[in-house]
Coordinates of all heavy atoms in Angstrom, one line a residue:
V212 N 14.3 16.1 12.6 CA 15.0 17.1 11.8 C 14.4 17.3 10.5 O 15.1 17.6 9.5 CB 16.5 16.7 11.7 CG1 17.2 16.8 13.1 CG2 16.7 15.3 11.1
G213 N 13.1 17.1 10.4 CA 12.4 17.4 9.1 C 12.4 16.4 8.1 O 12.2 16.6 6.9
H214 N 12.5 15.1 8.5 CA 12.4 14.0 7.6 C 11.1 13.3 7.8 O 11.0 12.6 8.8 CB 13.6 13.0 7.7 CG 14.9 13.6 7.4 ND1 16.1 12.8 7.3 CD2 15.3 14.9 7.1 CE1 17.1 13.6 7.1 NE2 16.7 14.9 7.0
D215 N 10.2 13.4 6.9 CA 8.8 12.8 7.1 C 8.6 11.7 6.1 O 8.9 11.8 4.9 CB 7.7 13.9 6.9 CG 7.7 14.8 8.1 OD1 8.1 14.5 9.2 OD2 7.2 16.0 7.9
Y216 N 8.0 10.6 6.6 CA 7.7 9.4 5.8 C 6.2 9.2 6.0 O 5.7 8.9 7.0 CB 8.5 8.2 6.3 CG 10.0 8.4 6.3 CD1 10.6 8.9 7.5 CD2 10.8 8.3 5.2 CE1 12.0 9.1 7.6 CE2 12.2 8.5 5.3 CZ 12.8 8.9 6.4 OH 14.1 9.2 6.5
N217 N 5.5 9.2 4.8 CA 4.1 9.0 4.8 C 3.8 7.8 4.0 O 4.1 7.8 2.8 CB 3.3 10.2 4.3 CG 3.3 11.3 5.3 OD1 2.5 11.4 6.2 ND2 4.2 12.2 5.1
I218 N 3.2 6.7 4.6 CA 2.9 5.5 3.8 C 1.7 5.8 3.0 O 0.7 6.2 3.4 CB 2.8 4.3 4.7 CG1 2.7 3.0 3.9 CG2 1.6 4.4 5.7 CD1 2.9 1.8 4.7
L219 N 1.8 5.5 1.7 CA 0.7 5.6 0.7 C -0.1 4.4 0.5 O -1.2 4.4 -0.1 CB 1.2 6.2 -0.6 CG 2.0 7.5 -0.6 CD1 2.4 7.9 -2.0 CD2 1.1 8.6 0.0
G220 N 0.4 3.3 1.0 CA -0.3 2.0 0.9 C 0.6 0.9 0.6 O 1.8 1.0 0.3
G221 N 0.1 -0.4 0.8 CA 0.9 -1.6 0.5 C 0.0 -2.7 0.1 O -1.2 -2.8 0.5
L222 N 0.5 -3.5 -0.8 CA -0.3 -4.6 -1.3 C 0.5 -5.9 -0.9 O 1.7 -6.0 -1.2 CB -0.5 -4.6 -2.8 CG -1.4 -3.5 -3.3 CD1 -1.4 -3.5 -4.9 CD2 -2.8 -3.7 -2.8
R223 N -0.2 -6.9 -0.4 CA 0.4 -8.2 -0.1 C -0.2 -9.3 -0.9 O -1.4 -9.3 -1.0 CB 0.3 -8.5 1.4 CG 1.0 -7.5 2.3 CD 0.7 -7.8 3.8 NE 1.4 -6.9 4.7 CZ 1.1 -5.7 5.0 NH1 0.0 -5.2 4.5 NH2 1.8 -5.0 5.8
G224 N 0.6 -10.2 -1.4 CA 0.1 -11.3 -2.1 C 0.9 -12.5 -1.7 O 1.8 -12.4 -0.9
P225 N 0.6 -13.7 -2.2 CA 1.3 -14.9 -1.8 C 2.7 -14.9 -2.2 O 3.5 -15.6 -1.6 CB 0.5 -16.0 -2.6 CG -0.1 -15.3 -3.7 CD -0.5 -14.0 -3.2
H226 N 3.1 -14.2 -3.2 CA 4.5 -14.2 -3.7 C 5.2 -12.9 -3.7 O 6.4 -12.8 -3.9 CB 4.6 -14.7 -5.1 CG 3.9 -16.1 -5.3 ND1 4.3 -17.2 -4.7 CD2 2.8 -16.4 -6.0 CE1 3.5 -18.2 -5.0 NE2 2.6 -17.8 -5.8
Q227 N 4.5 -11.8 -3.4 CA 5.1 -10.5 -3.4 C 4.4 -9.5 -2.5 O 3.3 -9.7 -2.1 CB 5.2 -10.0 -4.8 CG 3.8 -9.7 -5.4 CD 3.9 -9.3 -6.9 OE1 4.9 -9.2 -7.4 NE2 2.7 -9.1 -7.5
R228 N 5.1 -8.4 -2.2 CA 4.5 -7.3 -1.5 C 5.1 -6.0 -2.0 O 6.3 -5.9 -2.3 CB 4.8 -7.5 0.0 CG 4.4 -6.3 0.9 CD 4.7 -6.5 2.3 NE 4.4 -5.3 3.1 CZ 4.4 -5.2 4.4 NH1 4.6 -6.3 5.1 NH2 4.3 -4.1 5.0
M229 N 4.2 -5.0 -2.1 CA 4.7 -3.7 -2.6 C 4.3 -2.6 -1.6 O 3.2 -2.7 -1.0 CB 4.1 -3.4 -3.9 CG 4.7 -2.1 -4.6 SD 3.7 -1.5 -6.0 CE 2.3 -0.8 -5.1
E230 N 5.2 -1.7 -1.3 CA 4.9 -0.6 -0.4 C 5.3 0.7 -1.1 O 6.3 0.8 -1.8 CB 5.7 -0.7 0.9 CG 5.3 -1.9 1.8 CD 6.1 -2.0 3.0 OE1 7.2 -1.4 3.0 OE2 5.7 -2.7 4.0
A231 N 4.5 1.7 -0.9 CA 4.8 3.1 -1.5 C 4.8 4.1 -0.4 O 3.9 4.1 0.5 CB 3.7 3.4 -2.5
H232 N 5.8 5.0 -0.4 CA 5.9 6.0 0.6 C 6.2 7.4 -0.1 O 6.9 7.4 -1.1 CB 7.1 5.8 1.6 CG 6.9 4.5 2.3 ND1 7.4 3.3 1.8 CD2 6.4 4.2 3.6 CE1 7.1 2.3 2.7 NE2 6.5 2.9 3.8
L233 N 5.6 8.4 0.5 CA 6.0 9.8 0.1 C 6.9 10.3 1.1 O 6.6 10.5 2.3 CB 4.7 10.7 0.0 CG 5.0 12.1 -0.4 CD1 5.6 12.2 -1.8 CD2 3.7 12.9 -0.3
V234 N 8.1 10.6 0.7 CA 9.2 11.1 1.6 C 9.4 12.6 1.4 O 9.5 13.0 0.3 CB 10.5 10.3 1.4 CG1 11.5 10.7 2.4 CG2 10.2 8.8 1.5
T235 N 9.4 13.3 2.5 CA 9.6 14.7 2.5 C 10.8 15.1 3.4 O 10.8 14.7 4.6 CB 8.4 15.5 3.0 OG1 7.3 15.2 2.1 CG2 8.6 17.0 2.9
L236 N 11.8 15.8 2.9 CA 12.9 16.2 3.6 C 12.9 17.8 3.6 O 13.0 18.4 2.5 CB 14.2 15.7 3.0 CG 14.3 14.2 2.7 CD1 15.7 13.9 2.1 CD2 14.0 13.4 3.9
S237 N 12.6 18.4 4.7 CA 12.4 19.8 4.8 C 13.5 20.6 5.5 O 13.5 21.8 5.5 CB 11.0 20.1 5.4 OG 11.0 19.6 6.7
E238 N 14.4 19.9 6.2 CA 15.5 20.6 6.9 C 16.8 19.9 6.6 O 16.8 18.6 6.5 CB 15.2 20.7 8.4 CG 14.0 21.5 8.8 CD 13.9 21.6 10.3 OE1 14.9 21.4 11.0 OE2 12.7 21.9 10.7
R239 N 17.8 20.7 6.5 CA 19.2 20.1 6.3 C 19.6 19.4 7.6 O 19.3 19.8 8.7 CB 20.2 21.1 5.9 CG 19.8 21.8 4.6 CD 21.0 22.7 4.1 NE 20.6 23.4 2.9 CZ 20.6 23.0 1.7 NH1 21.0 21.7 1.5 NH2 20.2 23.7 0.7
S240 N 20.4 18.3 7.5 CA 21.0 17.7 8.6 C 22.3 17.1 8.2 O 22.6 16.9 7.0 CB 20.0 16.6 9.2 OG 19.9 15.6 8.3
E241 N 23.1 16.8 9.2 CA 24.4 16.2 8.9 C 24.4 14.7 8.9 O 25.3 14.1 8.4 CB 25.5 16.8 9.9 CG 25.7 18.3 9.8 CD 26.7 18.8 10.8 OE1 27.2 17.9 11.6 OE2 27.0 20.0 10.8
V242 N 23.4 14.1 9.5 CA 23.4 12.7 9.6 C 22.1 12.2 9.0 O 21.0 12.7 9.3 CB 23.4 12.2 11.1 CG1 23.3 10.7 11.2 CG2 24.7 12.7 11.8
F243 N 22.2 11.3 8.0 CA 21.0 10.8 7.4 C 20.8 9.3 7.7 O 21.8 8.6 7.8 CB 21.1 10.9 5.8 CG 21.3 12.4 5.4 CD1 22.6 12.8 5.0 CD2 20.3 13.2 5.3 CE1 22.8 14.1 4.6 CE2 20.4 14.5 4.9 CZ 21.7 15.0 4.5
P244 N 19.5 8.9 7.8 CA 19.3 7.5 8.0 C 19.7 6.7 6.8 O 19.5 7.2 5.7 CB 17.8 7.4 8.3 CG 17.2 8.6 7.7 CD 18.3 9.7 7.8
L245 N 20.3 5.5 7.0 CA 20.6 4.6 5.8 C 19.6 3.4 5.9 O 19.1 3.1 6.9 CB 22.0 4.2 5.9 CG 23.1 5.2 5.8 CD1 24.5 4.6 6.0 CD2 23.0 5.9 4.4
F246 N 19.4 2.9 4.7 CA 18.4 1.8 4.6 C 19.0 0.6 3.9 O 19.9 0.7 3.0 CB 17.2 2.3 3.8 CG 16.6 3.5 4.4 CD1 17.0 4.8 4.0 CD2 15.7 3.5 5.4 CE1 16.4 5.9 4.5 CE2 15.1 4.6 6.0 CZ 15.5 5.8 5.5
Q247 N 18.5 -0.6 4.2 CA 18.9 -1.8 3.6 C 17.8 -2.8 3.8 O 17.3 -3.0 4.9 CB 20.2 -2.4 4.2 CG 20.8 -3.6 3.5 CD 22.1 -4.0 4.1 OE1 22.4 -3.8 5.3 NE2 22.9 -4.7 3.3
H248 N 17.4 -3.4 2.7 CA 16.2 -4.3 2.7 C 16.2 -5.2 1.5 O 16.7 -4.9 0.5 CB 14.9 -3.5 2.8 CG 14.8 -2.6 1.6 ND1 14.3 -2.9 0.4 CD2 15.1 -1.2 1.6 CE1 14.4 -1.9 -0.4 NE2 14.8 -0.8 0.3
P249 N 15.6 -6.4 1.6 CA 15.4 -7.2 0.4 C 14.5 -6.5 -0.6 O 13.7 -5.7 -0.2 CB 14.7 -8.5 1.0 CG 15.0 -8.5 2.5 CD 15.0 -7.0 2.8
G250 N 14.5 -6.9 -1.8 CA 13.6 -6.4 -2.8 C 14.2 -5.3 -3.6 O 15.4 -4.9 -3.5
T251 N 13.4 -4.8 -4.5 CA 13.8 -3.7 -5.4 C 13.1 -2.4 -5.1 O 11.9 -2.5 -4.7 CB 13.5 -4.1 -6.9 OG1 14.2 -5.4 -7.2 CG2 14.0 -3.1 -7.9
E252 N 13.8 -1.3 -5.3 CA 13.2 0.0 -4.9 C 13.3 0.9 -6.1 O 14.2 1.0 -6.9 CB 13.9 0.6 -3.7 CG 13.3 2.0 -3.4 CD 13.9 2.6 -2.1 OE1 14.8 1.9 -1.5 OE2 13.6 3.7 -1.7
L253 N 12.2 1.7 -6.3 CA 12.2 2.8 -7.3 C 12.0 4.1 -6.5 O 11.1 4.3 -5.7 CB 11.0 2.6 -8.3 CG 10.7 3.8 -9.2 CD1 11.8 4.1 -10.1 CD2 9.4 3.6 -9.9
I254 N 12.9 5.1 -6.8 CA 12.8 6.4 -6.3 C 12.5 7.4 -7.4 O 13.2 7.4 -8.4 CB 14.1 6.8 -5.5 CG1 14.3 6.0 -4.3 CG2 14.1 8.3 -5.2 CD1 15.6 6.2 -3.6
Y255 N 11.4 8.2 -7.3 CA 11.0 9.1 -8.3 C 11.0 10.5 -7.6 O 10.2 10.7 -6.7 CB 9.7 8.8 -8.9 CG 9.3 9.7 -10.0 CD1 9.9 9.5 -11.3 CD2 8.4 10.7 -9.8 CE1 9.5 10.4 -12.3 CE2 8.1 11.6 -10.9 CZ 8.6 11.4 -12.1 OH 8.3 12.3 -13.1
M256 N 11.8 11.4 -8.1 CA 11.9 12.7 -7.5 C 10.7 13.6 -8.0 O 10.4 13.7 -9.2 CB 13.2 13.4 -7.9 CG 14.4 12.8 -7.2 SD 14.5 13.2 -5.5 CE 14.8 15.0 -5.5
L257 N 10.1 14.3 -7.0 CA 9.0 15.2 -7.3 C 9.4 16.6 -7.1 O 8.9 17.5 -7.8 CB 7.8 14.8 -6.3 CG 7.3 13.4 -6.4 CD1 6.3 13.2 -5.3 CD2 6.6 13.2 -7.8
E258 N 10.2 16.9 -6.1 CA 10.6 18.3 -5.8 C 11.9 18.4 -5.2 O 12.3 17.5 -4.5 CB 9.5 18.9 -4.9 CG 9.7 20.4 -4.5 CD 8.6 20.9 -3.6 OE1 7.8 20.1 -3.1 OE2 8.6 22.1 -3.3
G259 N 12.7 19.5 -5.4 CA 14.0 19.7 -4.8 C 15.0 18.9 -5.5 O 14.8 18.3 -6.6
S260 N 16.2 18.8 -4.9 CA 17.3 18.0 -5.5 C 18.2 17.5 -4.4 O 18.3 18.1 -3.3 CB 18.1 18.8 -6.5 OG 18.6 19.9 -5.9
M261 N 18.8 16.3 -4.6 CA 19.7 15.8 -3.6 C 20.7 14.8 -4.2 O 20.5 14.4 -5.4 CB 18.8 15.0 -2.5 CG 18.1 13.7 -3.1 SD 17.2 12.8 -1.8 CE 16.4 11.6 -2.8
V262 N 21.7 14.5 -3.4 CA 22.6 13.4 -3.8 C 22.2 12.2 -3.0 O 22.1 12.2 -1.8 CB 24.1 13.8 -3.5 CG1 25.0 12.7 -3.9 CG2 24.5 15.1 -4.3
Y263 N 22.0 11.1 -3.8 CA 21.5 9.9 -3.1 C 22.5 8.8 -3.4 O 23.0 8.6 -4.5 CB 20.2 9.4 -3.7 CG 19.4 8.5 -2.9 CD1 18.5 8.9 -1.9 CD2 19.6 7.1 -3.1 CE1 17.8 8.0 -1.2 CE2 18.8 6.2 -2.3 CZ 17.9 6.7 -1.3 OH 17.2 5.8 -0.5
G264 N 22.9 8.1 -2.3 CA 23.9 7.1 -2.3 C 23.4 5.7 -2.4 O 22.3 5.4 -1.7
H265 N 24.0 4.8 -3.1 CA 23.7 3.4 -3.2 C 25.0 2.6 -3.3 O 25.7 2.7 -4.3 CB 22.8 3.1 -4.3 CG 22.4 1.6 -4.4 ND1 22.8 0.8 -5.5 CD2 21.7 0.8 -3.6 CE1 22.4 -0.4 -5.3 NE2 21.7 -0.4 -4.1
G266 N 25.3 1.9 -2.2 CA 26.6 1.2 -2.2 C 27.7 2.3 -2.2 O 27.8 3.2 -1.5
D267 N 28.6 2.1 -3.2 CA 29.8 3.0 -3.4 C 29.4 4.1 -4.4 O 30.3 5.0 -4.6 CB 31.0 2.2 -3.8 CG 31.5 1.2 -2.8 OD1 31.3 1.5 -1.6 OD2 32.0 0.2 -3.2
A268 N 28.3 4.1 -5.0 CA 27.9 5.0 -6.0 C 27.0 6.2 -5.5 O 26.3 6.0 -4.5 CB 27.2 4.4 -7.2
S269 N 27.1 7.3 -6.1 CA 26.3 8.5 -5.7 C 25.6 9.0 -7.0 O 26.1 9.0 -8.1 CB 27.1 9.6 -5.1 OG 27.8 9.1 -3.9
Y270 N 24.3 9.5 -6.8 CA 23.5 9.9 -7.9 C 22.9 11.3 -7.5 O 22.3 11.4 -6.4 CB 22.4 8.9 -8.3 CG 22.9 7.5 -8.5 CD1 23.1 6.6 -7.5 CD2 23.3 7.2 -9.8 CE1 23.6 5.4 -7.7 CE2 23.8 5.9 -10.1 CZ 23.9 5.0 -9.0 OH 24.4 3.7 -9.2
T271 N 23.0 12.3 -8.4 CA 22.3 13.6 -8.2 C 21.0 13.5 -8.8 O 20.8 13.3 -10.0 CB 23.2 14.7 -8.8 OG1 24.5 14.7 -8.2 CG2 22.5 16.0 -8.5
L272 N 19.9 13.7 -8.0 CA 18.6 13.5 -8.5 C 17.8 14.9 -8.4 O 17.9 15.6 -7.5 CB 17.8 12.5 -7.6 CG 18.4 11.1 -7.4 CD1 17.6 10.3 -6.5 CD2 18.6 10.5 -8.8
H273 N 17.1 15.2 -9.5 CA 16.3 16.4 -9.7 C 14.9 16.0 -10.0 O 14.6 14.8 -10.3 CB 16.9 17.2 -10.8 CG 18.3 17.7 -10.6 ND1 18.7 18.7 -9.7 CD2 19.5 17.2 -11.2 CE1 20.0 18.8 -9.8 NE2 20.5 17.9 -10.6
P274 N 13.9 16.9 -9.9 CA 12.5 16.5 -10.2 C 12.4 15.8 -11.6 O 13.0 16.3 -12.6 CB 11.8 17.9 -10.3 CG 12.6 18.7 -9.3 CD 14.0 18.3 -9.5
G275 N 11.7 14.7 -11.6 CA 11.5 13.9 -12.8 C 12.5 12.8 -13.0 O 12.3 11.9 -13.8
D276 N 13.6 12.8 -12.1 CA 14.6 11.8 -12.2 C 14.1 10.5 -11.5 O 13.3 10.6 -10.5 CB 15.9 12.2 -11.6 CG 16.6 13.2 -12.3 OD1 16.2 13.5 -13.5 OD2 17.6 13.8 -11.8
A277 N 14.5 9.4 -12.0 CA 14.1 8.1 -11.4 C 15.4 7.3 -11.1 O 16.3 7.3 -11.9 CB 13.2 7.3 -12.3
L278 N 15.4 6.6 -10.0 CA 16.5 5.7 -9.6 C 16.0 4.4 -9.2 O 15.2 4.3 -8.2 CB 17.3 6.4 -8.5 CG 18.5 5.5 -7.9 CD1 19.6 5.3 -9.0 CD2 19.1 6.2 -6.7
Q279 N 16.3 3.3 -9.8 CA 16.0 2.0 -9.4 C 17.2 1.3 -8.8 O 18.3 1.4 -9.4 CB 15.5 1.2 -10.6 CG 14.2 1.8 -11.3 CD 13.6 0.9 -12.4 OE1 13.2 -0.2 -12.1 NE2 13.6 1.4 -13.6
L280 N 17.0 0.6 -7.7 CA 18.1 0.0 -7.0 C 17.8 -1.3 -6.3 O 16.6 -1.5 -6.0 CB 18.7 1.1 -6.0 CG 17.7 1.6 -5.0 CD1 17.7 0.8 -3.7 CD2 18.1 3.0 -4.6
D281 N 18.8 -2.0 -6.1 CA 18.7 -3.3 -5.3 C 18.7 -2.9 -3.8 O 19.7 -2.3 -3.3 CB 19.9 -4.2 -5.7 CG 19.8 -5.5 -4.9 OD1 19.1 -5.7 -4.0 OD2 20.6 -6.4 -5.3
G282 N 17.7 -3.2 -3.1 CA 17.5 -2.8 -1.7 C 18.6 -3.4 -0.8 O 18.8 -2.9 0.3
E283 N 19.3 -4.5 -1.2 CA 20.3 -5.1 -0.4 C 21.5 -4.2 -0.3 O 22.3 -4.4 0.7 CB 20.7 -6.5 -1.0 CG 19.6 -7.5 -1.0 CD 19.3 -8.1 0.4 OE1 20.0 -7.7 1.4 OE2 18.4 -9.0 0.5
G284 N 21.7 -3.3 -1.2 CA 22.8 -2.4 -1.1 C 22.4 -1.2 -0.2 O 21.3 -0.7 -0.2
V285 N 23.3 -0.8 0.8 CA 23.0 0.2 1.7 C 22.8 1.5 0.9 O 23.6 1.9 0.0 CB 24.2 0.4 2.7 CG1 23.9 1.6 3.6 CG2 24.4 -0.8 3.5
H286 N 21.7 2.2 1.2 CA 21.3 3.4 0.4 C 20.6 4.5 1.3 O 20.1 4.2 2.4 CB 20.4 3.0 -0.7 CG 19.2 2.3 -0.3 ND1 19.2 1.0 0.0 CD2 17.9 2.7 -0.2 CE1 18.0 0.5 0.3 NE2 17.2 1.6 0.2
G287 N 20.6 5.7 0.8 CA 20.0 6.8 1.5 C 20.5 8.1 1.0 O 21.5 8.2 0.3
P288 N 19.9 9.2 1.5 CA 20.4 10.6 1.1 C 21.8 10.8 1.6 O 22.1 10.5 2.7 CB 19.4 11.5 1.7 CG 18.2 10.7 2.0 CD 18.7 9.3 2.3
Q289 N 22.6 11.5 0.8 CA 23.9 11.9 1.2 C 24.1 13.4 1.4 O 24.8 13.9 2.3 CB 25.0 11.4 0.2 CG 25.1 9.9 0.2 CD 26.2 9.5 -0.8 OE1 26.5 10.2 -1.8 NE2 26.7 8.3 -0.6
E290 N 23.4 14.1 0.5 CA 23.5 15.6 0.5 C 22.2 16.2 0.0 O 21.7 15.8 -1.0 CB 24.7 16.1 -0.3 CG 24.9 17.6 -0.2 CD 26.1 18.1 -1.0 OE1 26.8 17.2 -1.6 OE2 26.3 19.3 -1.1
L291 N 21.6 17.2 0.8 CA 20.4 17.8 0.3 C 20.8 19.1 -0.4 O 21.4 20.0 0.2 CB 19.5 18.1 1.5 CG 19.2 16.9 2.5 CD1 18.3 17.4 3.6 CD2 18.7 15.7 1.7
L292 N 20.5 19.2 -1.7 CA 21.0 20.3 -2.5 C 20.0 21.4 -2.5 O 20.3 22.6 -2.5 CB 21.3 19.8 -3.9 CG 22.4 18.7 -4.0 CD1 22.5 18.3 -5.4 CD2 23.7 19.2 -3.4
S293 N 18.7 21.1 -2.6 CA 17.6 22.1 -2.8 C 16.4 21.7 -2.0 O 15.8 20.6 -2.3 CB 17.3 22.3 -4.2 OG 16.2 23.2 -4.4
L294 N 16.0 22.4 -1.0 CA 14.9 22.1 -0.1 C 13.7 22.9 -0.5 O 13.8 24.0 -1.0 CB 15.3 22.3 1.3 CG 16.4 21.4 1.9 CD1 16.8 21.9 3.3 CD2 15.9 20.0 2.0
P295 N 12.4 22.4 -0.2 CA 12.2 21.1 0.4 C 12.3 20.0 -0.7 O 12.3 20.3 -1.9 CB 10.7 21.2 0.8 CG 10.1 22.2 -0.1 CD 11.2 23.2 -0.4
I296 N 12.6 18.8 -0.3 CA 12.7 17.6 -1.2 C 11.6 16.7 -1.0 O 11.2 16.3 0.2 CB 14.0 16.9 -0.9 CG1 15.2 17.8 -1.3 CG2 14.1 15.6 -1.7 CD1 16.6 17.3 -0.8
R297 N 10.9 16.3 -2.0 CA 9.9 15.3 -2.0 C 10.2 14.2 -3.0 O 10.4 14.6 -4.2 CB 8.5 15.9 -2.2 CG 8.0 16.7 -1.0 CD 6.5 17.0 -1.2 NE 6.2 17.5 -2.5 CZ 5.2 17.1 -3.3 NH1 4.5 16.1 -2.9 NH2 5.0 17.6 -4.5
F298 N 10.0 13.0 -2.6 CA 10.2 11.9 -3.6 C 9.3 10.7 -3.3 O 9.0 10.5 -2.1 CB 11.7 11.5 -3.8 CG 12.3 10.9 -2.6 CD1 12.3 9.5 -2.3 CD2 13.0 11.7 -1.7 CE1 12.9 9.0 -1.2 CE2 13.6 11.2 -0.6 CZ 13.6 9.8 -0.3
L299 N 8.9 10.0 -4.3 CA 8.1 8.8 -4.1 C 9.0 7.6 -4.1 O 9.9 7.4 -4.9 CB 7.1 8.6 -5.3 CG 6.2 7.4 -5.3 CD1 5.2 7.5 -4.1 CD2 5.4 7.3 -6.6
S300 N 8.9 6.8 -3.0 CA 9.6 5.6 -2.9 C 8.7 4.3 -3.0 O 7.8 4.2 -2.2 CB 10.4 5.6 -1.5 OG 10.9 4.3 -1.2
V301 N 9.0 3.5 -3.9 CA 8.1 2.3 -4.1 C 9.1 1.0 -4.0 O 10.1 0.9 -4.7 CB 7.5 2.2 -5.5 CG1 6.6 1.0 -5.6 CG2 6.6 3.5 -5.7
V302 N 8.7 0.2 -3.0 CA 9.5 -1.0 -2.8 C 8.7 -2.3 -3.1 O 7.6 -2.4 -2.7 CB 10.0 -1.1 -1.3 CG1 10.8 -2.3 -1.0 CG2 10.8 0.1 -0.9
A303 N 9.3 -3.1 -3.9 CA 8.7 -4.4 -4.3 C 9.5 -5.5 -3.6 O 10.7 -5.7 -3.9 CB 8.7 -4.6 -5.8
H304 N 8.9 -6.2 -2.7 CA 9.5 -7.3 -2.0 C 9.2 -8.6 -2.7 O 8.1 -8.8 -3.3 CB 9.0 -7.4 -0.6 CG 9.3 -6.2 0.3 ND1 10.5 -5.9 0.7 CD2 8.5 -5.2 0.7 CE1 10.5 -4.8 1.4 NE2 9.2 -4.3 1.4

Side-chain angles (χ1 to χ4, degrees):
V212 292
H214 297 187
D215 288 335
Y216 306 93
N217 288 276
I218 188 165
L219 300 180
L222 292 175
R223 295 176 176 83
H226 305 297
Q227 62 185 358
R228 172 175 171 172
M229 188 192 78
E230 293 178 342
H232 300 86
L233 178 63
V234 183
T235 302
L236 311 181
S237 57
E238 294 184 21
R239 297 188 188 278
S240 64
E241 296 180 357
V242 179
F243 300 103
L245 294 176
F246 305 93
Q247 186 176 28
H248 56 83
T251 303
E252 178 175 358
L253 168 67
I254 292 175
Y255 184 80
M256 287 292 290
L257 300 171
E258 183 180 4
S260 58
M261 67 177 174
V262 177
Y263 198 89
H265 178 245
D267 295 329
S269 297
Y270 306 88
T271 301
L272 304 178
H273 301 284
D276 290 351
L278 176 64
Q279 297 184 65
L280 55 88
D281 182 346
E283 295 285 1
V285 176
H286 54 281
Q289 291 182 337
E290 183 179 358
L291 309 185
L292 302 177
S293 176
L294 294 172
I296 292 169
R297 289 193 310 129
F298 62 91
L299 180 66
S300 166
V301 181
V302 179
H304 300 285

